[in-house]
């Protein structure tokens, strides 16, 4: 989908200011996004920022994590959101 197909649609913040700038405003609203990449590239961090930003605006979201040790991502979640309970 190119920008002409998304004109007039609402955009949603990624939760990361620099990424929003690169994407020219964020991501098109009401879409499903899959982040794929090698370990340590920031997929979980991006998802946590995205959901944390949305929750501050009373929006719902979820993250599906695969092949990750819980203690690792729960520490990241608490650092980013400040609300995760172990």
């Amino acid at each position: 989908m190119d920008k002409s197909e998304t004109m007039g649609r609402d955009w949603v913040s990624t939760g990361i200011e620099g990424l929003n700038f690169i994407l020219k405003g964020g991501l098109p609203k009401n879409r499903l996004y899959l982040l794929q990449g090698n370990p340590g590239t920031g997929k979980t961090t991006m998802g946590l920022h995205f959901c944390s930003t949305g929750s501050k605006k009373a929006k719902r979201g979820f993250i599906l994590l695969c092949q990750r040790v819980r203690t690792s991502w729960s520490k990241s979640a608490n650092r980013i959101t400040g609300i995760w309970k172990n």
Side-chain angles (χ1 to χ4, degrees), residues 59-78:
K59 303 293 182 186
R60 293 182 290 175
F62 75 95
I63 302 172
L64 175 63
L65 303 173
C66 301
Q67 300 177 352
R68 187 89 193 248
V69 178
R70 179 179 178 203
T71 56
S72 176
W73 61 259
S74 65
K75 286 178 185 175
S76 293
N78 190 44

Side-chain angles (χ1 to χ4, degrees), residues 10-86:
D10 290 331
W11 297 85
V12 62
S13 172
T14 64
I16 303 169
E17 187 177 328
L19 183 56
N20 289 337
F21 177 78
I22 291 168
L23 296 173
K24 298 185 185 325
L27 299 167
K29 196 173 182 179
N30 298 321
R31 300 275 187 240
L32 176 67
Y33 294 96
L34 170 68
L35 300 179
Q36 181 179 335
N38 291 328
T41 57
K43 300 174 301 293
T44 300
T45 301
M46 160 114 183
L48 290 170
H49 277 287
F50 181 79
C51 285
S52 177
T53 299
S55 71
K56 292 173 185 170
K57 298 177 181 179
K59 303 293 182 186
R60 293 182 290 175
F62 75 95
I63 302 172
L64 175 63
L65 303 173
C66 301
Q67 300 177 352
R68 187 89 193 248
V69 178
R70 179 179 178 203
T71 56
S72 176
W73 61 259
S74 65
K75 286 178 185 175
S76 293
N78 190 44
R79 180 177 45 82
I80 291 168
T81 66
I83 59 171
W84 189 265
K85 304 279 192 256
N86 284 327

